């Protein structure tokens, strides 16, 4: 059972560089989302998608772009990395567009921006 | 908008002792409530959830939580902890029927450290 797979696990960027965090799920989940986790702040929603071709902003979307061309994949793009984006990023998915379906999380990508 | 407060950032406890992790929420409408656990260097896993019905909810690994509407609380309990319960625990809330997606609002987490 692969579940939710995130790559890479670790990444170091210089300020101004761009990169894409990959997320793939093999559970045919309609809903996918990206969170960032920072010490003392819990997890905050960046962007989410309720299906292929549909995305929307979460609580902290600035500096990030997403797209959802397939059900399986939901990449997160950092256009111009900033030190404030140093964080651990989690991708999550759930089985249907409802509020009571549990989220399945990947193991995270630890990003450092210098 | 809804919010979640976990007042205790760290809870140390001895093995086989009981533990309670506190969670309070704020919302003007009915909500769904969740507890997730995060082991080191891993993603979050669902422990239990409250949707409706019985206010006492049982989850995995011997954990349970009680929904108290009047006190807007959803505290997590375990009668006897094990070293393997050492992890960070997150309380989360979502609004029913928002039209799509499980947009959880998380608390700041409570680090449970079980000691011998």
């Amino acid at each position: 059972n692969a579940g939710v797979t995130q790559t890479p696990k670790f990444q170091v960027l210089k300020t101004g560089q761009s990169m894409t965090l990959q997320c793939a799920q093999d559970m045919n989940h309609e809903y996918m989302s990206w969170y960032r986790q920072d010490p003392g702040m819990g997890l905050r929603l960046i962007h989410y998608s309720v299906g292929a071709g549909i995305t929307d902003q979460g609580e902290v979307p600035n500096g990030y772009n997403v797209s959802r061309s397939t059900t399986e994949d939901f990449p997160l793009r950092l256009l111009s990395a900033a030190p404030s984006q140093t964080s651990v990023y989690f991708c999550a998915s759930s089985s249907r567009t409802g509020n009571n379906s549990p989220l399945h999380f990947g193991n995270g990508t630890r990003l450092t921006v210098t | 908008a809804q919010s979640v407060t976990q007042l205790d950032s760290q809870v140390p406890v001895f093995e086989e002792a009981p533990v309670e992790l506190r969670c309070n929420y704020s919302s003007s409408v009915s909500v769904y409530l969740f507890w997730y656990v995060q082991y080191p260097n891993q993603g979050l896993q669902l422990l239990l959830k409250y949707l409706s019905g019985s206010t006492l909810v049982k989850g995995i690994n011997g954990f349970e939580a009680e929904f108290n509407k009047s006190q807007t609380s959803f505290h997590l309990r375990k009668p006897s902890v094990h070293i393997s319960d050492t992890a960070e625990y997150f309380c989360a809330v979502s609004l029913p029927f928002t039209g799509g997606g499980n947009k959880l609002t998380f608390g700041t987490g409570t680090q449970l450290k079980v000691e011998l």
Side-chain angles (χ1 to χ4, degrees):
Chain A
N1 286 343
V4 179
T5 303
Q6 291 185 238
T7 56
K9 292 185 180 180
F10 302 94
Q11 183 70 50
V12 179
L13 292 178
K14 289 183 169 31
T15 297
Q17 287 184 316
S18 63
M19 79 159 295
T20 299
L21 281 64
Q22 300 293 343
C23 175
Q25 52 90 9
D26 61 358
M27 298 172 282
N28 202 31
H29 285 172
E30 299 95 332
Y31 180 79
M32 297 185 74
S33 54
W34 277 101
Y35 287 85
R36 60 176 289 173
Q37 182 180 24
D38 302 291
M41 302 190 74
L43 284 83
R44 292 178 292 169
L45 182 64
I46 305 172
H47 285 285
Y48 66 97
S49 168
V50 299
I54 306 169
T55 64
D56 206 345
Q57 296 181 349
E59 180 185 353
V60 288
N62 292 342
Y64 307 95
N65 274 0
V66 292
S67 60
R68 184 94 180 269
S69 56
T70 67
T71 299
E72 294 77 22
D73 300 300
F74 191 44
L76 178 72
R77 297 184 187 83
L78 281 71
L79 305 176
S80 177
S84 61
Q85 293 178 305
T86 293
S87 186
V88 181
Y89 292 84
F90 287 99
C91 180
S93 69
S94 67
S95 62
R96 60 180 182 270
T97 53
N99 297 90
N100 58 9
S101 302
L103 287 176
H104 297 257
F105 283 82
N107 285 337
T109 294
R110 188 174 298 272
L111 175 68
T112 302
V113 183
T114 60
Chain B
Q2 69 273 26
S3 66
V4 178
T5 302
Q6 293 180 250
L7 288 173
D8 305 309
S9 59
Q10 294 186 37
V11 173
V13 62
F14 287 109
E15 191 172 33
E16 298 183 6
V19 70
E20 178 179 85
L21 305 183
R22 296 181 295 168
C23 172
N24 288 88
Y25 69 92
S26 173
S27 175
S28 57
V29 298
S30 296
V31 296
Y32 296 142
L33 294 157
F34 304 79
W35 275 98
Y36 282 82
V37 60
Q38 184 181 31
Y39 298 105
N41 300 314
Q42 293 186 26
L44 281 71
Q45 302 172 33
L46 180 69
L47 266 182
L48 49 79
K49 62 182 179 181
Y50 172 78
L51 307 179
S52 63
S54 173
T55 57
L56 184 63
V57 180
K58 294 190 183 296
I60 62 172
N61 300 340
F63 283 93
E64 63 181 30
E66 186 158 18
F67 170 62
N68 188 319
K69 188 174 182 178
S70 62
Q71 297 187 7
T72 59
S73 67
F74 191 54
H75 301 330
L76 181 70
R77 303 186 184 102
K78 186 169 183 178
S80 176
V81 296
H82 189 266
I83 285 285
S84 60
D85 293 323
T86 295
E88 189 153 23
Y89 292 79
F90 292 92
C91 184
V93 62
S94 73
L95 291 175
F97 313 120
T98 58
N102 195 351
K103 293 190 291 179
L104 294 182
T105 298
F106 285 88
T108 52
T110 297
Q111 179 67 44
L112 175 64
K113 185 174 182 181
V114 181
E115 302 168 351
L116 292 172

